Amino acid sequence: MASEDAGFAGAHWQAYTTAPSFMLSAGDGAKAVYFKVVNTQGESAVVSDSITLMELPVAATLLINSGTAETIWRDVTLNNTVSGSPTHYMASEDASFVADAWKTYSASPVFTLSAGDGIKTVYFKVRNVNGESGVISDTITLKQFPEVTMFRINNGAISATDRTVTLNNVALGSP
């Protein structure tokens, strides 16, 4: 029998093994575990040991826009579930996270996808004072509304001598 409670409240006898698994209570910090064995002759004395738990965060799930397959907007929500008390997150379309920075953790931060239609993969990880999680990812297809990012008549001329003019423009979203 093992318990974090010296009185073994809520603990149950288990089949004996020389190296049983034991689930510590949640939260970082010092943990004491009390242990005893029993046979047909009776119970042993209680022994204990302690350990300091410093859980690494675990990034469990990532769903872009709650798991929708497509979006027309570059700004998406990264719905995520994690454990281990994360303090920061990093999100990127680059699996190596080059040139990305840690941001204060949020369960649903907004992320801006790169320009251009197509399948976008977002990589995500979290960290706490003990270290960082593994990387998880999700994909979404971006199908943007067209967007005009630059427009000039005759390359910005202030006057024209001909009624036919050139409409210089740059547009995104495959117009």
Side-chain angles (χ1 to χ4, degrees), residues 63-98:
L63 295 173
I64 302 171
N65 284 352
S66 298
T68 58
E70 297 179 351
T71 183
I72 58 173
W73 306 108
R74 287 180 58 204
D75 286 343
V76 294
T77 301
L78 303 181
N79 307 101
N80 63 88
T81 56
V82 301
S83 62
S85 303
T87 57
H88 294 84
Y89 79 95
M90 195 179 288
S92 179
E93 287 184 64
D94 178 359
S96 65
F97 296 92
V98 174

Side-chain angles (χ1 to χ4, degrees), residues 21-56:
S21 294
F22 181 81
M23 178 71 69
L24 295 171
S25 59
D28 289 350
K31 307 288 182 176
V33 177
Y34 302 89
F35 185 81
K36 64 182 177 178
V37 295
V38 67
N39 68 15
T40 57
Q41 303 305 311
E43 292 182 15
S44 70
V46 175
V47 295
S48 67
D49 197 7
S50 61
I51 191 166
T52 300
L53 178 62
M54 299 180 347
E55 285 186 281
L56 291 176

Side-chain angles (χ1 to χ4, degrees), residues 55-63 78-91 97 102 105-107 122-128 131-138:
E55 285 186 281
L56 291 176
V58 174
T61 63
L62 175 66
L63 295 173
L78 303 181
N79 307 101
N80 63 88
T81 56
V82 301
S83 62
S85 303
T87 57
H88 294 84
Y89 79 95
M90 195 179 288
F97 296 92
W102 290 103
Y105 175 72
S106 169
V122 178
Y123 301 91
F124 184 86
K125 62 183 178 177
V126 293
R127 75 175 182 189
N128 65 17
E132 64 184 60
S133 71
V135 177
I136 58 174
S137 64
D138 192 24

